[in-house]
Amino acid sequence: MTILEKINGKFEIDKCTSRILSPRQRKKSPEFNILSFKETVERIIETQCSVSRYGDGELMMAAYGSSLRFQRADKKLQARLNEILINPCEGLMLCLPNRLNQASLKESEHLPEFWKQSFREHYYAWTRKIDKNIVYGDTNITRLIPDYGLSNTEMITMLKEIWSQRNVVIVEGASTRMGIGNDLLDNVTEVTRILGPTESAFDRYDDLLHHTKETIKNKKNPLVLVALGPTATVLAADLCAAGCQAIDLGHLDISYEYSLTNQSRTTPIKGKYTNEVVGGDGVEVCEDEDYNIQIAARIY
């Protein structure tokens, strides 16, 4: 064993995070309090809390101000992501990748290669502002990851309970089309849509926030579902501070489409913007009558 792997026989280098770990640090308790998929969804249902999620993209933007494929770098967005991470408002559940717990438990050999590489390069930058006394939800509740020990059907059934019989306002990209062509929203009372930019939605943030607040004024017990990349993290927090439950749903609709069709996750979903796939930005006009009736505002 080299000096990079072991120091005086007592301290070991975690090959995933590049941190020096003492024997005490290699205990079986995780470093961060991140709930499981089931615990996260149950807490949302029981408390009707709002949800702001930090995935690898949001953590990169918060730490470095990095641009993403679907969101250009923006100093104000970076500042807001850090502000919310450090000081979440009451009633807001922040979510983090559950992979952070695998890293802190020194289980790096079980991580997918993407996460191994990410933690080697960015672990400290990503985690230095995370409060270890806060209980976080699991960011990947929107990904339908098979290693949760639950089937896709079980996960979707649990998630749909969040918006069951609610008056839902969806704030999404112009080509996202959440719930169109599937039964994701078949148990809601009403759907109203506010469409924002397909990419770099934060450019129109003030207008999106204003129109959403105006739209929910006349709704009884509204629930706002947001799918706008890192902008959704901020919008959910600001709506929560304004007294409205809002949930950043990220890629849930696309993940559900993949689970229904058994398509490869490298294949674009027809009729929907699929930002993580080459060619996924080529989306035709939606002629669905119900969808078009639901649109209350177009903010591009």
Side-chain angles (χ1 to χ4, degrees):
M1 186 172 283
T2 68
I3 190 66
L4 292 177
E5 295 170 327
K6 199 168 186 179
I7 304 174
N8 295 330
K10 295 181 180 180
F11 294 87
E12 191 170 325
I13 295 289
D14 186 319
K15 295 177 183 177
C16 175
T17 65
S18 299
R19 294 179 304 150
I20 297 177
L21 302 176
S22 69
R24 183 178 180 182
Q25 288 173 312
R26 296 198 300 270
K27 61 186 180 179
K28 293 184 178 181
S29 59
E31 185 170 358
F32 305 105
N33 297 312
I34 303 176
L35 301 175
S36 67
F37 175 97
K38 184 177 180 181
E39 291 168 334
T40 301
V41 176
E42 287 178 344
R43 178 167 293 202
I44 296 169
I45 294 170
E46 291 170 5
T47 67
Q48 292 199 348
C49 62
S50 292
V51 175
S52 287
R53 297 180 313 105
Y54 286 76
D56 61 288
E58 288 75 22
L59 291 171
M60 288 292 285
M61 293 199 82
Y64 307 113
S66 306
S67 62
L68 305 176
R69 180 185 297 177
F70 49 91
Q71 174 62 60
R72 67 174 60 91
D74 187 297
K75 290 184 177 179
K76 184 176 179 181
L77 175 55
Q78 180 187 15
R80 290 303 317 279
L81 289 170
N82 279 303
E83 172 194 332
I84 294 162
L85 184 62
I86 294 169
N87 187 30
C89 67
E90 184 177 351
L92 178 68
M93 178 166 63
L94 300 181
C95 291
L96 296 173
N98 61 358
R99 303 296 189 186
L100 288 171
N101 274 351
Q102 285 181 271
S104 66
L105 286 168
K106 200 172 175 293
E107 295 179 352
S108 59
E109 65 272 18
H110 301 303
L111 287 167
E113 187 56 38
F114 168 81
W115 287 104
K116 288 181 184 179
Q117 184 68 25
S118 296
F119 288 147
R120 287 190 197 106
E121 297 177 359
H122 309 299
Y123 187 88
Y124 174 73
W126 284 3
T127 62
R128 64 191 180 91
K129 295 180 180 179
I130 295 175
D131 188 339
K132 296 179 183 179
N133 296 311
I134 290 179
V135 176
Y136 297 91
D138 179 10
T139 282
N140 291 324
I141 59 170
T142 64
R143 289 283 188 172
L144 304 182
I145 295 174
D147 58 2
Y148 284 123
L150 298 168
S151 69
N152 287 336
T153 299
E154 289 173 321
M155 287 188 281
I156 283 294
T157 298
M158 292 176 65
L159 286 164
K160 288 176 68 172
E161 187 61 29
I162 296 171
W163 49 82
S164 178
Q165 306 307 311
R166 298 287 296 274
N167 290 306
V168 169
V169 175
I170 298 173
V171 187
E172 62 181 356
S175 300
T176 301
R177 299 162 187 171
M178 185 189 302
I180 298 301
N182 60 50
D183 62 356
L184 190 63
L185 302 173
D186 68 351
N187 62 337
V188 305
T189 299
E190 178 189 52
V191 175
T192 304
R193 296 178 190 267
I194 297 173
L195 305 187
T198 299
E199 298 181 352
S200 294
F202 199 74
D203 290 357
R204 300 299 307 274
Y205 183 74
D206 291 340
D207 291 330
L208 288 165
L209 178 61
H210 171 74
H211 277 274
T212 304
K213 286 182 175 180
E214 289 299 308
T215 300
I216 63 178
K217 279 183 179 180
N218 299 319
K219 305 289 184 183
K220 182 178 180 181
N221 192 26
L223 170 64
V224 180
L225 303 179
V226 194
L228 281 172
T231 300
T233 305
V234 179
L235 184 59
D238 285 346
L239 290 171
C240 177
C244 178
Q245 185 185 14
I247 297 175
D248 166 13
L249 273 189
H251 297 83
L252 178 60
D253 182 74
I254 291 297
S255 294
Y256 188 37
E257 290 282 0
Y258 283 129
S259 75
L260 291 173
T261 61
N262 292 317
Q263 292 184 66
S264 165
R265 290 180 181 257
T266 61
T267 304
I269 298 296
K270 185 178 180 180
K272 297 187 177 185
Y273 179 76
T274 317
N275 71 280
E276 295 180 337
V277 175
V278 175
D281 56 350
V283 183
E284 65 272 18
V285 174
C286 182
E287 303 291 351
D288 186 285
E289 184 176 347
D290 289 337
Y291 167 77
N292 286 292
I293 289 173
Q294 293 165 356
I295 298 171
R298 302 175 189 265
I299 305 168
Y300 305 152

